[in-house]
Amino acid sequence: MALLSVREATKRFGGLLANEAISFDVEEGELLAVIGPNGAGKTTLFNVISGAYPPTSGSIHFDGRDITGASPHGVAHAGLVRTYQLVQLFKNLTVAENVEIGSHRVTRGGVFSALFRPHWMQQQEKSVSVGARELLRFVGLEAQADDPADTLPYGRQRLLEVARALAARPRLLLLDEPAAGLNTQETEALAEVISRIHLGGTTVILIEHDMSLVMKIAQRIVVLDFGKKIAEGAPDEIKSHPDVIAAYLGGTEILDA
Amino acid sequence: MTSHAITSTEPTSVGWRSALPIAAVAVVAAYGLMSSDYVVTVLGFAFIYAIFCTGLNFFMGYTGQASFGQSAFAAIGGYGSAILCTDYGWEPLLALIATMAISGVVAAVVGYPTLRLRGHYLAMATFALGLIAYEITIEWTSLTQGYMGYAGIPPLGLGGFELATLKQQFIAIVVMALIGVGVASRLRQSRFGRALASIAGSELAARALGVDIARYKLVAFVIAALYASAAGSLFAHFVGFISPEIYGTSMVIQSFAMLYLGGIGTTWGPMLGAVIVSVLPEALRGLKEMQDIAYTAILIFILIFAPRGLAGLTVLFRRARRPALGKA
């Protein structure tokens, strides 16, 4: 059974049909990219999947459960963790603390355990801190662990956001344009990190404008245009798909890649 | 064996960082105990405010939300303790705990709908809460005795043992303030504290990581109310008399000055700010008519040069030191 199953997802904002009956499946362990021109409805689709707003109609199933209309934190708790197009870091905290917060989903304890510090809580705190350092090493930020997050250059803030999402040990990671605003080198570094996440067994859905990135790492691609799914397939099929080429104005962007 | 392993991995700098403020509090308290009752009263107010501000810091500092109505919970604590102890002969310490429980319940009930609001709207709604509490203390005269206030409130004590002198009460207040800071520090350094910090940092990101924002905001609000209530009760016992003005808007403004001056979101900042803002006007008393001008000038000066508060300065020092070490 598919890990994520989107069925006829439709999202209407007044007169605007942002998503129209979009259906696709994501299998466990897959790396799927969602592409499309600006305004095609990609981020809306992410928001519908991650619970930011409910779909007007249609359903979302994750891990066999119906998560249609569930709250964002509920969706995250189920194991579907997302990042945002605009970096959303906890700026006043250190790089390591940012990642430690990411472990919220996979840890437990509230006010009383914080106050009385039972043994399991101390062990948990240790593993949270050790785990955060490991993830920072994984994305290459271990040297900046104790710096305030807002002093990182933009490209590294992106990596930090990914590391923080990984601390939640997602079963499905949604990355919303992670390469936006990055230079070529930074994009390379990011692509490499995403590939390693995928190799580590995490299922990934990626929204991306950077075609070279998508063609290089995605196993399968869903193409949206004007809120509809116009194509779905392997990168090579998508490159030569006539509708996709038309959507991208003659397809220069794709042919260049 | 295991406990040894845990203590040894704890960075020693943490111990240092809390030892210094505790020593400073001990020095201030000792100075108070060797001085007149007047000085003890001023310092007593300072540490009562320290408790109030440490609580407010949960909501405004750690969680990044605005509350202009925390005085309402101080009023519940103060009037609750006054009524229970004078009219019903309750033990002061029991009354303090009972009114904290009442404040916590009221905060949960009021906070549940109110905390859906954000930013200015939340500030307005909580401000209204403070005004409503103030009106109640004035108008509900059969309960609160209105403008006349409540007199003859017994000093703090338990089971017939009474802290008869001002200085004994002062020690109890300082100890409670230190416990308050200790609790705050423990809660901040935990999964719970990190969840609060994530809300202050970015609600979008917090939500995406599975943090139930509404729930954590409410818990922070309730904790702030518990501290405010305890501070209100302590004030009633320390002074022996309360009236509506004590828990009015000036309390809110005063606590904001303390929070921002001391360092909002830091562990010791609220207490530091409370002591400075309370003591400064007294220290400037010799300036006579220039007193207010000098006082506000100093506050503005501190906020310009230490925008993150005095406790925030330690972060600056730490940051400034690191590059130097890097070069060496």
Side-chain angles (χ1 to χ4, degrees):
Chain A
M1 192 184 50
L3 181 64
L4 179 79
S5 172
V6 179
R7 285 284 152 269
E8 302 281 311
T10 298
K11 182 67 196 175
R12 185 186 287 279
F13 296 106
L16 178 80
L17 203 51
N19 283 166
E20 192 180 344
I22 295 175
S23 300
F24 64 92
D25 285 341
V26 184
E27 300 297 330
E28 185 109 47
E30 211 182 356
L31 202 167
L32 175 88
V34 176
I35 65 169
N38 278 323
K42 305 185 293 293
T43 295
T44 300
L45 180 65
F46 256 32
N47 284 337
V48 166
I49 293 174
S50 67
Y53 28 71
T56 310
S57 63
S59 70
I60 320 290
H61 286 259
F62 176 66
D63 200 15
R65 280 170 53 198
D66 187 355
I67 59 162
T68 318
S71 66
H73 66 83
V75 171
H77 251 288
L80 198 158
V81 177
R82 71 170 293 180
T83 66
Y84 291 91
Q85 213 174 94
L86 298 169
V87 177
Q88 296 284 342
L89 290 179
F90 309 127
K91 290 186 182 140
N92 293 326
L93 304 179
T94 66
V95 168
E97 282 170 320
N98 265 271
V99 181
E100 286 171 5
I101 289 175
S103 66
H104 185 84
R105 178 178 104 81
V106 289
T107 49
R108 66 197 175 103
V111 172
F112 291 101
S113 62
L115 200 53
F116 299 110
R117 309 256 152 175
H119 187 251
W120 64 262
M121 170 79 169
Q122 296 180 13
Q123 296 296 114
Q124 180 178 280
E125 284 299 296
K126 250 199 281 182
S127 74
V128 162
S129 154
V130 170
R133 302 277 157 167
E134 270 167 20
L135 282 171
L136 287 175
R137 202 168 311 128
F138 180 78
V139 299
L141 287 176
E142 72 270 36
Q144 286 84 19
D146 298 314
D147 292 353
D150 59 351
T151 60
L152 288 183
Y154 188 71
R156 297 188 157 230
Q157 293 191 13
R158 284 269 179 211
L159 289 173
L160 175 55
E161 207 177 25
V162 171
R164 188 180 62 186
L166 287 178
R169 283 185 230 144
R171 300 204 50 203
L172 173 57
L173 180 63
L174 299 183
L175 299 170
D176 192 354
E177 293 206 29
L182 300 192
N183 65 32
T184 325
Q185 279 169 317
E186 289 168 333
T187 306
E188 295 262 314
L190 182 82
E192 193 256 334
V193 166
I194 297 172
S195 294
R196 275 193 287 138
I197 293 169
H198 176 223
L199 285 176
T202 307
T203 315
V204 180
I205 306 184
L206 173 74
I207 287 185
E208 194 45 68
H209 263 299
D210 190 311
M211 282 307 151
S212 60
L213 175 65
V214 170
M215 293 301 163
K216 195 158 64 191
I217 65 175
Q219 293 176 313
R220 205 153 57 85
I221 298 175
V222 166
V223 189
L224 301 187
D225 194 21
F226 293 111
K228 281 190 223 164
K229 183 172 95 174
I230 57 168
E232 180 178 349
D236 286 336
E237 295 163 29
I238 295 299
K239 258 188 214 177
S240 51
H241 196 292
D243 288 350
V244 178
I245 293 169
Y248 274 91
L249 294 174
T252 48
E253 224 179 316
I254 288 198
L255 293 174
D256 284 351
Chain B
M1 281 304 280
T2 45
S3 67
H4 173 74
I6 287 162
T7 45
S8 62
T9 50
E10 199 113 300
T12 46
S13 60
V14 170
W16 268 103
R17 244 180 273 155
S18 57
L20 193 66
I22 290 172
V25 170
V27 168
V28 171
Y31 170 77
L33 293 173
M34 288 186 291
S35 311
S36 65
D37 274 1
Y38 172 72
V39 174
V40 174
T41 308
V42 171
L43 287 176
F45 288 166
F47 282 99
I48 289 171
Y49 260 110
I51 294 171
F52 185 86
C53 294
T54 301
L56 189 56
N57 194 37
F58 268 93
F59 194 64
M60 290 187 62
Y62 300 159
T63 320
Q65 307 300 305
S67 174
F68 285 62
Q70 227 55 29
S71 55
F73 302 110
I76 292 176
Y79 275 94
S81 283
I83 293 163
L84 288 174
C85 295
T86 17
D87 295 349
Y88 297 94
W90 276 46
E91 295 284 349
L93 197 60
L94 291 183
L96 183 136
I97 292 166
T99 51
M100 277 173 78
I102 296 171
S103 292
V105 171
V106 172
V109 171
V110 172
Y112 186 75
T114 315
L115 298 183
R116 288 156 188 271
L117 302 171
R118 283 190 205 177
H120 301 314
Y121 300 98
L122 179 61
M124 288 305 292
T126 51
F127 188 51
L129 175 67
L131 291 180
I132 291 167
Y134 180 65
E135 283 303 315
I136 290 174
T137 57
I138 291 171
E139 301 294 342
W140 195 351
T141 47
S142 60
L143 184 75
T144 66
Q145 305 187 1
Y147 283 116
M148 286 204 358
Y150 240 94
I153 306 161
L156 214 56
L158 181 71
F161 177 74
E162 207 170 64
L163 298 174
T165 72
L166 208 56
K167 284 181 181 169
Q168 287 171 347
Q169 293 205 56
F170 172 65
I171 293 171
I173 289 169
V174 171
V175 169
M176 285 196 197
L178 285 176
I179 292 172
V181 172
V183 168
S185 160
R186 283 202 152 200
L187 293 190
R188 173 60 187 86
Q189 312 292 332
S190 71
R191 176 177 185 263
F192 171 75
R194 285 193 293 270
L196 299 188
S198 73
I199 295 171
S202 158
E203 289 196 16
L204 279 179
R207 206 179 283 149
L209 296 169
V211 177
D212 185 345
I213 291 174
R215 188 167 141 247
Y216 279 95
K217 277 187 187 173
L218 189 62
V219 175
F221 189 63
V222 168
I223 291 175
L226 296 178
Y227 275 79
S229 178
S233 295
L234 288 174
F235 186 94
H237 293 299
F238 189 55
V239 182
F241 170 79
I242 52 168
S243 64
E245 284 73 33
I246 288 164
Y247 306 116
T249 313
S250 64
M251 183 179 209
V252 172
I253 293 169
Q254 187 92 335
S255 63
F256 282 9
M258 291 165 174
L259 213 49
Y260 282 94
L261 193 89
I264 192 163
T266 63
T267 304
W268 290 97
M271 180 178 277
L272 182 63
V275 171
I276 289 175
V277 172
S278 306
V279 170
L280 206 51
E282 307 303 326
L284 299 171
R285 207 159 272 272
L287 296 175
K288 305 232 163 56
E289 64 275 13
M290 295 295 281
Q291 186 195 349
D292 283 348
I293 296 174
Y295 171 64
T296 42
I298 290 172
L299 291 191
I300 291 169
F301 184 82
I302 294 175
L303 286 176
I304 288 172
F305 290 99
R308 298 179 68 183
L310 291 172
L313 288 177
T314 58
V315 178
L316 280 182
F317 287 133
R318 241 177 291 150
R319 270 195 213 180
R321 250 196 349 239
R322 195 174 302 124
L325 285 173
K327 271 178 226 155

